[in-house]
Amino acid sequence: MAGKRAPGPQGGLSRERVLRSAVAIADERGLAALTMRSLAETLGVEAMSLYHHVANKEAVLDGLVEVVMAEIEAAVGGLVAPEPEDDWKTAMRMRVLAAREVLVGHPWAPRVFETRTGTSLPVARYFDGVLGLMRRGGFSYELGHRALHALGSRALGFSQELFEPDGVEAPEEAVAAMAEQVPHLVAMIADASHGGALLGWCDYQAEFEFGLDLILDGLERLRSEA
Amino acid sequence: MAGKRAPGPQGGLSRERVLRSAVAIADERGLAALTMRSLAETLGVEAMSLYHHVANKEAVLDGLVEVVMAEIEAAVGGLVAPEPEDDWKTAMRMRVLAAREVLVGHPWAPRVFETRTGTSLPVARYFDGVLGLMRRGGFSYELGHRALHALGSRALGFSQELFEPDGVEAPEEAVAAMAEQVPHLVAMIADASHGGALLGWCDYQAEFEFGLDLILDGLERLRSEA
DNA sequence: ACCTGAACACCGTTCAAGT
DNA sequence: ACCTGAACACCGTTCAAGT
């Protein structure tokens, strides 16, 4: 049925094809490189053709969230985790870390999430699942609600690092340049490197898990006390 | 000495005047309204004149961080808090909440922080102070380091909320529209409103403090066990 | 129905020119 | 030294026109 005369682009546009290309551009060239014009060019089409499949650029960004959330749901769905009734903390931990693994493939995703906090259905669905897990683990709705806030973006696998976003810059060097202005940070780095080399001393995965466990442990304490 | 003939703008530009205006625009009209052209207009000058006082727009955004951090440092400096040696947790809590109070006056600030995680001296100085507080409170450098990561942006008074950024949209209505797609969220809201009206049931300040205390309590536990 | 070309109203920024 | 006008290379988006 398809495939008579190619209608300009290769095989006809569609919302799915547009979003797939948008993800590819963001993955390969960064979010800043994703413009309606670059997106069109990737698809072998004029920029204005895109508007037949997406309302505007905002809709493209919404679609990006949709794609990433679908990947996360798929990863979570494939998990072999304990039943929340037996061990909600492990179940939750695995879920969050699975989400995080998806995000490492899309380093631009947190920045996109941050700009469309409005109310995205895919994101709401994910948090609904998280809440459901906690309910099965014995949380009241009230504690579950607070837990959602306490976790925030961590439930999706990322946290706002104020230093070094994409691992581009070595914080040690930057801190060294500030030297006497930040004595404690300097001492901290000196302490961490106790004699040896200090390459890559910030293990972001480990730090993420530390923060996650700190919160999950706190929540479990409150849950079991209730 | 000054005040002979007005040199075009009212009294001459300066980096300080440019940044002050930039903050005013962001406060009053939002971050999106802050363009080099709008900034210039506010100052009664042509856009290109700005480049004599700031390198480019990135430098303006860096300056925004500088201004906000100076306000935070001032607020923290004016605090009457316990000595960290006596009660680090209260000292920290007060510091973070003081920072948060500054941020409510600049709702755009988190978004700006998020885009310049590189290494900002004012931000680094703030975290240096936080680390110093924890050191005085009995933290090892190692635990202090982990604590900085665990707190992340919370140390500066904000956390990434994935729903409802600026309190514009009522999550209840949005959730209601999704209805059967998010059953747990719907039930949670129903539970929270147990009969009464549910206006503004998300108390962001309370939720922020809950999450903060969860982390601080967890850290204190680890500190005292060490 | 879908795609296009030209155009509009914006951006940040450069450059040569003014005083 | 500081400010300006015109221009450049981009944006997202509208609109009338093509097929």
Side-chain angles (χ1 to χ4, degrees), chain B residues 201-214:
Chain B
W201 68 292
C202 272
D203 181 338
Y204 288 94
Q205 178 67 26
E207 301 301 346
F208 180 85
E209 294 187 23
F210 173 79
L212 177 62
D213 288 335
L214 206 60

Side-chain angles (χ1 to χ4, degrees), chain A residues 117 128 165 182 184-185 187 221, chain B residues 117 128 141 165 182 184-185 221:
Chain A
T117 49
D128 190 72
V182 289
H184 298 105
L185 293 180
R221 202 164 285 115
Chain B
T117 48
D128 191 73
Y141 279 119
V182 287
H184 298 105
L185 293 179
R221 202 164 286 115

Side-chain angles (χ1 to χ4, degrees), chain B residues 57-69:
Chain B
K57 190 174 180 184
E58 285 291 287
V60 173
L61 295 174
D62 289 342
L64 250 35
V65 169
E66 216 177 294
V67 172
V68 172
M69 289 311 304

